[in-house]
Amino acid sequence: MCPDYTNPLQYTSSTDADWQERLRCLQGILDERKHNVFWLHLCAGELGLHSTVFSTAVYIFDRYLSTFVPAYVKRELAFLEYDLQTIALASLFVAVKSMMAANVIEVNEMPHSPVGDTIRQFRKYYGSLTRQVFKDEVETAILMALDWNIVYVPPISIVQDLISILPRPCEYDEGHDDAFSTFVYSIYQEARKLTRKTELLGGFIIKYPPSTIALAALSIALANLPDVTSIPIFILVPPCRWCEIEINKRGIDLSFDDEDVVRCRNDMMHHFFPTKAINKDTSERVTGTDSPTTVAEVHKRRRATKKRNSFAAKSA
């Protein structure tokens, strides 16, 4: 996990004389960080880079920021050695190279490698910035600061692996099998959108490990499915419970009810679905466990109340 450099109370105190100034300094860095992550997101999309490249680049970017931001906020570091956009671009270059080395990006038979193509594209549109990265050897500085440890498994990769081991419960029926394929595609796309939002927001990859983010995103995706009655198994078992059982059968110990997963899921609901989160909290607070949930139950309770009132009147 990336050290939490976004919380000033982790490395400074609110009783310090220049506390407000430190907060403004940190907020400026966080705003610039957000701007550069969105810029990386746009660049990765325009160049058609693999989704894991962007995820790894953001992780490297945040890890490197965590090595010097606390010292800079506390004024122990007089100035930043590199501007954040240069660091962001260098993080992307490191991610591209690491993904190619791990065979995530396949080197095709074209005369240029993906790394060369990416660098050429950035030189075309961001020539001075690209030259600055190589002139100052920013990639080397990042790798040395991180002890050359940039291994990272993005949450969406974990979601994809978990979905891939789910058995097809209705292969005997072509219609049901097509419905299951649609079900798998839908939850993957929804989880993919959620994990991408957590990377853009920033706080999630600092607070939670990738596996927790993956499970939280998957549980929300499963809960938000519009209709799964076309798949017979889901008439008997809810999709979330069925996925958990099937994954555990394959020796992977996980639970959507894990305390960290629930906390991460609540954070996602709060940030990405604020209306649903508010309505859920309100309904739970208003109705409670003893409140009637159906029209029949309402009438039943009214009849019981009338009987009690009638009996009380006769007794009087």
Side-chain angles (χ1 to χ4, degrees):
M1 290 178 62
C2 176
D4 188 1
Y5 67 90
T6 63
N7 183 4
L9 293 176
Q10 296 285 343
Y11 48 83
T12 185
S13 173
S14 59
T15 59
D16 294 339
D18 57 347
W19 168 250
Q20 293 299 327
E21 185 179 348
R22 292 182 179 186
L23 285 182
R24 285 192 293 270
C25 176
L26 177 61
Q27 189 57 52
I29 292 176
L30 295 179
D31 290 343
E32 194 173 350
R33 180 259 177 211
K34 182 178 179 181
H35 171 78
N36 281 289
V37 168
F38 272 102
W39 174 70
L40 282 181
H41 174 56
L42 293 174
C43 292
E46 291 173 359
L47 295 177
L49 295 177
H50 199 282
S51 59
T52 56
V53 173
F54 170 74
S55 301
T56 304
V58 173
Y59 170 72
I60 293 171
F61 184 42
D62 276 321
R63 282 266 319 274
Y64 185 63
L65 290 181
S66 70
T67 63
F68 66 83
V69 166
Y72 180 71
V73 171
K74 291 189 294 184
R75 295 294 187 268
E76 295 174 359
L77 187 66
F79 59 90
L80 299 179
E81 189 173 0
Y82 313 108
D83 66 86
L84 264 62
Q85 191 173 26
T86 303
I87 297 171
L89 182 56
S91 299
L92 182 64
F93 288 167
V94 172
V96 171
K97 295 175 182 179
S98 66
M99 292 293 100
M100 189 181 71
N103 294 323
V104 175
I105 303 177
E106 296 180 359
V107 180
N108 51 32
E109 297 178 356
M110 299 292 288
H112 304 299
S113 70
V115 175
D117 292 340
T118 302
I119 293 173
R120 266 184 290 276
Q121 289 291 332
F122 273 96
R123 277 181 176 158
K124 179 179 179 181
Y125 298 106
Y126 304 99
S128 60
L129 183 62
T130 305
R131 287 191 293 272
Q132 189 73 24
V133 169
F134 293 112
K135 177 186 175 184
D136 294 343
E137 299 182 340
V138 185
E139 292 171 284
T140 305
I142 291 174
L143 289 169
M144 292 182 68
L146 303 183
D147 294 327
W148 297 81
N149 179 15
I150 55 172
V151 177
Y152 181 67
V153 181
I156 190 57
S157 296
I158 299 174
V159 170
Q160 194 169 9
D161 289 342
L162 292 175
I163 291 176
S164 68
I165 65 175
L166 293 176
R168 307 185 75 82
C170 40
E171 292 180 352
Y172 57 87
D173 187 293
E174 185 176 348
H176 292 162
D177 194 52
D178 290 342
F180 183 75
S181 298
T182 303
F183 158 77
V184 170
Y185 178 78
S186 299
I187 61 176
Y188 172 76
Q189 291 298 326
E190 181 66 20
R192 184 171 177 268
K193 287 191 293 185
L194 289 169
T195 55
R196 180 58 54 87
K197 287 180 179 180
T198 62
E199 291 162 349
L200 295 174
L201 190 61
F204 284 88
I205 63 175
I206 293 173
K207 290 172 62 178
Y208 305 104
S211 56
T212 300
I213 297 174
L215 289 178
L218 188 56
S219 66
I220 292 175
L222 289 166
N224 288 344
L225 289 172
D227 182 26
V228 292
T229 55
S230 57
I231 305 174
I233 189 66
F234 295 150
I235 299 176
L236 303 174
V237 184
C240 196
R241 178 60 180 157
W242 178 81
C243 290
E244 184 175 285
I245 292 172
E246 292 298 332
I247 292 170
N248 287 335
K249 280 182 182 178
R250 281 146 185 82
I252 302 174
D253 186 18
L254 64 82
S255 172
F256 291 118
D257 295 325
D258 178 80
E259 184 179 346
D260 291 335
V261 174
V262 171
R263 188 165 60 249
C264 183
R265 182 169 63 230
N266 291 339
D267 278 354
M268 286 185 180
M269 294 297 294
H270 174 74
H271 284 93
F272 309 141
F273 307 99
T275 304
K276 289 184 179 180
I278 291 173
N279 289 341
K280 181 180 179 182
D281 293 341
T282 303
S283 62
E284 289 177 351
R285 185 168 56 251
V286 172
T287 59
T289 55
D290 295 329
S291 298
T293 55
T294 65
V295 174
E297 190 174 352
V298 171
H299 287 301
K300 182 179 179 181
R301 293 195 176 192
R302 285 179 177 174
R303 288 194 296 270
T305 302
K306 286 183 179 179
K307 286 183 179 180
R308 284 197 302 270
N309 292 341
S310 176
F311 178 78
K314 288 179 179 180
S315 298

